[in-house]
Amino acid sequence: MTPATAPYGTWTSPIDARLVAEHDGRPEYAGAVGQEVWWTEPRPAEGGRRALMRLRPYGAGPAEPALPGPWDVRSRVIEYGGRPWAGTARAGDGPLIVFVHHPDQRLYAFEPDAPGSRPRPLTPLSPVGGGLRWADPVLLPERGEVWCVLEEFTGARPTDVRRVLAAVPLDGSAAEDRARVRELTDGADRFVTGPRLSPDGRRAAWLAWNHPRMPWDGTDVRLADVTGDGALTGVRTAAGGDGESVAQAGWAADGSLLFTGDASGWWNLYRLDTDSGERTALCPRPEEFGGPLWKIGLQWFEPLDSGLVAVLHGAGSPRLGVLDPRTGELADTPGPWTEWAPTLASAGTRVIGVAAGPHRGHEVVELDTRTGHALVVGSRHTDPVDPAHYPEPEVRVFHGPGGREIHAQLYPPRNPAHRAPDGELPPYVVRAHGGPTGRAGLALDLEIAYFTSRGIGVVEVDYGGSTGYGRAYRERLREQWGVVDVEDCAAVARTLAAEGAADPARLAIRGGSAGGWTAAVSLTSPRTEGLYACAAISYPVLDLDDWAAGGTHDFESRYLVSLIGSPEEHPDRYRDRSPLRHAHRVTAPFLLLQGLDDPVCPPAQCDRFLAAVAGRGVPHAYLAFEGESHGFRRAETVVRAVEAELALYAQVFGFDRPDVPPLELTR
């Protein structure tokens, strides 16, 4: 078929917003229960709940939800959550599962194979602040307990909170009695991950850190002895510290302690002699074997019974390998997957993970370490349209001020049914990822394909501060948030225009959360004046003073100390960089999207920003969504947001899109 000639932005595409919504989200928290594989999976069409999925062994059938709606398996610990379930196999009785139900945040026990079984609560409710929350459980049926992280609010403010390791009885006696929850630690650490018990059950290890550190700044590996009655004694610091981020700690089958630390400048894997404190690098490389601990219980490595260790590693996108710690030999997993999520688990010689590639969404993958063969076992990707409509990513390195490298992924327009008129340059959208301590994954994203298949290019920028490229790259953003991220995105946009790859008059910037901040600052900064024709801004940070004064949740309440500097020592930075303080500089049209139940970036900041812009003649639209938090989960919200973004570009870039509702821009 001869492609039809049509201007960029007007191309017709089978990838509509409802298709984007149906494929929004990805499976998480894979685990093994005996020989079974379990994980959580998004359900955008069911109010955004997360289903707990079960795959029985030996070809017993496809995966199925273990719980019907409205059960929603998701934790709110540190607001971004953490591992919300654990399970154990039992001879003759089937699995025992414990999980966190999102609406009430209680911990429940469930025996899926018991006739007439329903989840029964293990923990009580609390009327104080955000209540009681639980994450990263470890089932210990021989003790009749589940050990996990307890987050307990002590007052009405989001920072009135304490976190401890706690033991919850499995008999349900604590369901109405908080006193029956046994605390294992004293609450001296502001943040903790769940305990990892040694193979003999006599020692426990976990991670801890305190304000103002974020976990990628520095964490401590805590080590304790487990007494016969289940107490933790002799708590000591075994590794880590102010200048070393440890992303994960766990035990090998031989009883040695493994951890990923970045003392070398890269998150590498180490074995620790817990008596002498001596560490041994198992595979020293300028690659990341860990990542940012945005959620409690992430797994970048998984020790196997054989003594081998499954690891995620790489510079940029992580891949799955199997490491022989004796020799340092590392064998990577074959297959089409370029992006592995930090959620490894194992069952004997099998490794279970979640992976994606440029032409396939995230799916649950199982690797047989004996044969090296990997196959998809759950959330299998199927192409909803001809994959010729997917973009072909180009991994690029651009250069910014001073010649510094900027990593990015370029997605040029692509549609087999269309070509642009000769001489026309495509519009481009610069996407700033969230975090800002994060990165853009090299995986199929139908939201990106929605735009590229319509003739709009997209470039995802791993600006300075992003993870995946070593600690030095990550720390470029220290006290430079609103400067380096903005400059790097601008440098990529200007380079694409200078190369003749993008229309310099039709550049946009968009982002959510910290990416929303970068987009908003880009509209108000003299460094980018006149560069972007418009911006799409989702659940952003807009007012640094408000954030520093308690306008966000506890986990990130001191994040700005590293991103901006101490507010007491550098109040000028807080004023000079906040978009709210410079709303008078906004001249480009923008779209602002916000969840009304967002505890991370509350909608009050959007209200103040819009009031500051009102009456200045700047075309803009504001869409607020009830029931949505930080990041959108409901299908109807995703549809409205994606279509509104396209409608913005259509108005500003000057092309017609009759397939989406018009966006009313006010001034």
Side-chain angles (χ1 to χ4, degrees):
M1 182 178 70
T2 302
T5 299
Y8 286 116
T10 67
W11 299 351
T12 57
S13 171
I15 304 172
D16 62 16
R18 295 196 177 279
L19 201 61
V20 174
E22 288 172 10
H23 293 79
D24 190 51
R26 69 186 189 191
E28 287 187 305
Y29 303 115
V33 182
Q35 294 301 309
E36 297 183 357
V37 179
W38 291 60
W39 66 90
T40 69
E41 194 170 273
R43 291 287 188 269
E46 299 177 31
R49 80 177 183 100
R50 291 198 70 90
L52 184 61
M53 303 298 294
R54 178 185 189 184
L55 178 65
R56 299 173 189 266
Y58 314 122
E64 58 189 8
L67 293 161
W71 291 104
D72 185 356
V73 181
R74 182 158 49 103
S75 169
R76 283 188 61 186
V77 165
I78 69 170
E79 292 301 352
Y80 292 115
R83 187 172 185 86
W85 74 275
T88 188
R90 300 176 301 173
D93 294 324
L96 170 64
I97 305 295
V98 297
F99 68 91
V100 177
H101 182 42
H102 181 260
D104 61 16
Q105 288 297 290
R106 298 177 85 179
L107 196 64
Y108 288 79
F110 180 47
E111 300 171 82
D113 292 348
S117 175
R118 289 182 53 82
R120 53 184 175 84
L122 299 179
T123 58
L125 295 169
S126 169
V128 179
L132 301 174
R133 301 175 181 178
W134 313 84
D136 210 8
V138 176
L139 260 170
L140 301 173
E142 68 278 7
R143 294 188 181 274
E145 293 178 326
V146 52
W147 289 14
C148 50
V149 175
L150 162 59
E151 180 177 83
E152 181 173 26
F153 283 80
T154 59
R157 297 178 302 175
T159 52
D160 292 336
V161 64
R162 60 190 295 269
R163 298 175 185 88
V164 296
L165 299 184
V168 177
L170 288 171
D171 62 9
S173 59
E176 304 296 335
D177 185 2
R178 167 68 177 82
R180 297 300 301 271
V181 175
R182 190 166 61 88
E183 296 192 6
L184 300 170
T185 55
D186 59 9
D189 290 316
R190 189 73 171 187
F191 301 95
V192 291
T193 64
R196 298 292 181 262
L197 271 67
S198 60
D200 61 9
R202 298 173 60 184
R203 292 175 295 171
W206 64 96
L207 304 183
W209 68 95
N210 289 284
H211 284 319
R213 281 188 286 168
M214 298 299 286
W216 40 86
D217 297 326
T219 50
D220 299 309
V221 179
R222 302 280 190 242
L223 188 64
D225 300 314
V226 182
T227 66
D229 58 359
L232 299 182
T233 63
V235 177
R236 62 265 193 201
T237 300
D242 286 344
E244 180 179 15
S245 168
V246 176
Q248 182 189 344
W251 300 91
D254 63 2
S256 60
L257 184 65
L258 306 180
F259 72 93
T260 51
D262 68 350
S264 69
W266 296 82
W267 275 302
N268 275 196
L269 184 63
Y270 297 89
R271 177 188 289 114
L272 182 73
D273 185 319
T274 56
D275 293 324
S276 67
E278 181 180 355
R279 66 171 69 187
T280 302
L282 299 183
C283 187
R285 293 186 179 189
E287 295 183 6
E288 304 284 36
F289 287 70
L293 199 64
W294 277 104
K295 298 181 179 182
I296 303 299
L298 299 181
Q299 297 262 133
W300 287 269
F301 69 84
E302 173 71 3
L304 307 180
D305 295 341
S306 63
L308 301 175
V309 184
V311 296
L312 301 184
H313 71 103
S317 295
R319 54 193 181 274
L320 175 64
V322 177
L323 172 68
D324 185 337
R326 297 167 301 174
T327 64
E329 182 180 354
L330 181 57
D332 284 337
T333 302
W337 306 285
T338 57
E339 190 76 31
W340 289 78
T343 179
L344 294 181
S346 64
T349 60
R350 298 151 54 212
V351 177
I352 301 104
V354 173
H359 297 123
R360 56 198 310 124
H362 286 85
E363 45 198 0
V364 182
V365 179
E366 180 179 289
L367 168 69
D368 187 334
T369 59
R370 296 170 302 178
T371 65
H373 181 62
L375 73 160
V376 177
V377 296
S379 298
R380 179 180 297 275
H381 171 81
T382 56
D383 290 314
V385 300
D386 183 346
H389 291 87
Y390 301 159
E392 288 287 354
E394 301 175 17
V395 178
R396 291 279 305 271
V397 177
F398 294 84
H399 292 89
R404 65 178 181 243
E405 291 187 346
I406 306 167
H407 296 275
Q409 295 164 16
L410 189 67
Y411 297 89
R414 184 174 187 241
N415 186 316
H418 293 282
R419 65 180 298 273
D422 291 341
E424 183 184 1
L425 296 177
Y428 253 86
V429 179
V430 177
R431 290 170 63 114
H433 63 70
T437 309
R439 51 174 291 274
L442 187 60
L444 175 63
D445 183 340
L446 286 187
E447 185 173 320
I448 292 177
Y450 177 86
F451 293 103
T452 57
S453 62
R454 284 166 170 76
I456 302 172
V458 174
V459 60
E460 292 195 297
V461 182
D462 281 344
Y463 47 81
S466 301
T467 51
Y469 309 100
R471 182 158 186 144
Y473 194 92
R474 189 167 85 237
E475 293 204 332
R476 286 183 189 175
L477 207 59
R478 182 167 290 276
E479 300 191 7
Q480 294 297 308
W481 195 37
V483 179
V484 166
D485 51 323
V486 171
E487 290 178 342
D488 285 1
C489 287
V492 170
R494 290 185 174 115
T495 300
L496 291 176
E499 291 176 347
D503 185 344
R506 295 191 293 174
L507 298 172
I509 187 165
R510 63 94 70 193
S513 189
W517 152 272
T518 301
V521 175
S522 296
L523 292 188
T524 61
S525 172
R527 297 178 180 87
T528 49
E529 185 174 358
L531 177 61
Y532 300 111
C534 62
I537 304 167
S538 301
Y539 35 90
V541 179
L542 296 169
D543 183 2
L544 296 179
D545 286 324
D546 179 70
W547 248 53
T552 188
H553 63 141
D554 184 62
F555 176 60
E556 293 181 276
S557 62
R558 302 297 305 282
Y559 195 5
L560 297 183
V561 173
S562 60
L563 290 176
I564 305 294
S566 165
E568 293 79 20
E569 297 177 9
H570 302 287
D572 54 322
R573 295 180 186 171
Y574 284 71
R575 293 189 301 268
D576 292 345
R577 298 185 196 172
S578 291
L580 178 63
R581 300 278 185 157
H582 303 289
H584 61 279
R585 293 178 180 164
V586 178
T587 58
F590 66 89
L591 168 65
L592 188 56
L593 305 169
Q594 178 67 46
L596 293 178
D597 295 338
D598 189 342
V600 178
C601 295
Q605 290 204 10
C606 290
D607 296 337
R608 292 195 293 272
F609 185 74
L610 291 168
V613 171
R616 296 185 178 274
V618 179
H620 64 277
Y622 178 48
L623 301 181
F625 301 99
E626 292 187 4
E628 291 286 9
S629 183
H630 196 66
F632 303 145
R633 296 178 179 273
R634 299 178 177 181
E636 60 271 21
T637 304
V638 175
V639 168
R640 183 71 181 103
V642 169
E643 291 183 340
E645 186 175 344
L646 178 60
L648 172 71
Y649 301 149
Q651 288 195 51
V652 175
F653 294 157
F655 52 77
D656 293 327
R657 288 305 324 187
D659 55 332
V660 298
L663 182 68
E664 182 178 351
L665 298 178
T666 60
R667 294 178 182 269

